[in-house]
Amino acid sequence: MNTPGDHMPGVSVSPSSSKSPMPRFGVLGSGKGSNFRALTEAFQVGTLCAQPVIVLSDVEHAGILDLGRELELPSRFVSPGPFRTKMSPAAEAEIVRLLREAKVDFVVLAGFMRVIKELLLQAFPRRILNIHPSLLPAFRGLEAWRQAVEAGVPEAGCTVHLVDFGVDTGRILGQSRVPLLYGDTAESLYARIQIAEHELYPRIVREFAEKLGTPEN
Ligand code: GRF
């Protein structure tokens, strides 16, 4: 079994460019993990400038955990407790413990479907990133792509932002625009938004990692 803090064997291909230590990040997700896959692919080709070192999920059989194990990363289910939309304080404390044990510098939410609360926010202030499938501040919350189709807007997109105490409210770090096409359904639009996410998230994570430790960060 993988244990956090183990040597990070690698997302098996090593980045070629630099030998200096890279910032380390932990990933939290509840779903299939396609954004996590895009991040690891960027890491493998040496364009991410940050190293994924642990994957945690509130969903026991989430695809993102399978992907983490495939990549030989410590990959753990953390039982979320009795609430539907947030983790119990005990579950958040366990996540903080695992992230600290893995010595992460920052945290990347990749389809994590629960609201982050005090314990985690205070453990990693201004160090938690999220990707949301809309052009924030438009369409916060669930199924933002469906909200966009139902609202009849001409364009949708995705946003990477810092996580704060609100839901999808933190400082925006980057966005990609995705025009609606004639005949789009919620599903067809979301498929194109996900393609945009897979380009946007690695780019913004790289920029964030490059700025870590500078005065404004
Ligand atoms: C993405 O669409 C992201 O915007 C949202 O959750 C979804 C996760 O998808 N926060 P995946 O698991 O990365 O495929």
Side-chain angles (χ1 to χ4, degrees):
M1 180 192 278
N2 290 317
T3 41
D6 277 355
H7 166 63
M8 209 294 287
V11 183
S12 35
V13 182
S14 316
S16 50
S17 49
S18 160
K19 291 206 163 65
S20 61
M22 276 189 219
R24 299 159 64 89
F25 66 95
V27 178
L28 270 59
S30 310
K32 64 185 189 296
S34 70
N35 278 283
F36 171 50
R37 183 183 291 278
L39 291 164
T40 59
E41 285 173 359
F43 172 74
Q44 287 171 331
V45 298
T47 58
L48 195 63
C49 307
Q51 180 180 17
V53 293
I54 187 167
V55 184
L56 302 173
S57 182
D58 60 321
V59 176
E60 191 162 10
H61 300 294
I64 197 167
L65 288 177
D66 294 335
L67 185 53
R69 291 183 188 115
E70 236 175 73
L71 296 165
E72 298 180 41
L73 289 174
S75 302
R76 292 285 187 86
F77 163 63
V78 176
S79 177
F83 309 107
R84 200 173 51 83
T85 58
K86 62 179 182 178
M87 309 284 287
S88 66
E92 271 210 356
E94 176 65 358
I95 286 180
V96 169
R97 189 187 72 74
L98 290 164
L99 291 170
R100 286 197 168 133
E101 197 173 62
K103 298 187 170 54
V104 309
D105 299 297
F106 67 100
V107 179
V108 167
L109 305 186
F112 191 64
M113 297 307 286
R114 287 171 194 268
V115 179
I116 302 297
K117 295 296 194 183
E118 289 78 2
L119 279 173
L120 193 46
L121 284 168
Q122 283 164 6
F124 296 95
R126 298 183 309 287
R127 293 282 188 281
I128 306 178
L129 281 64
N130 183 42
I131 188 158
H132 181 76
S134 81
L135 292 175
L136 288 173
F139 309 126
R140 296 190 169 111
L142 293 177
E143 298 201 332
W145 61 91
R146 191 178 304 283
Q147 296 183 49
V149 169
E150 286 171 1
V153 291
E155 66 175 3
C158 48
T159 302
V160 177
H161 64 95
L162 291 178
V163 177
D164 65 8
F165 282 93
V167 175
D168 304 324
T169 53
R171 179 154 71 90
I172 290 174
L173 302 178
Q175 294 187 307
S176 289
R177 297 178 179 278
V178 177
L180 268 84
L181 303 180
Y182 181 75
D184 250 341
T185 60
E187 291 69 29
S188 64
L189 174 62
Y190 185 43
R192 292 203 311 287
I193 290 175
Q194 282 236 286
I195 292 169
E197 288 183 337
H198 301 159
E199 184 277 326
L200 179 69
Y201 216 0
R203 179 158 57 82
I204 301 301
V205 167
R206 183 187 67 225
E207 289 174 12
F208 180 84
E210 283 170 353
K211 284 188 202 146
L212 269 182
T214 61
E216 78 174 285
N217 291 280

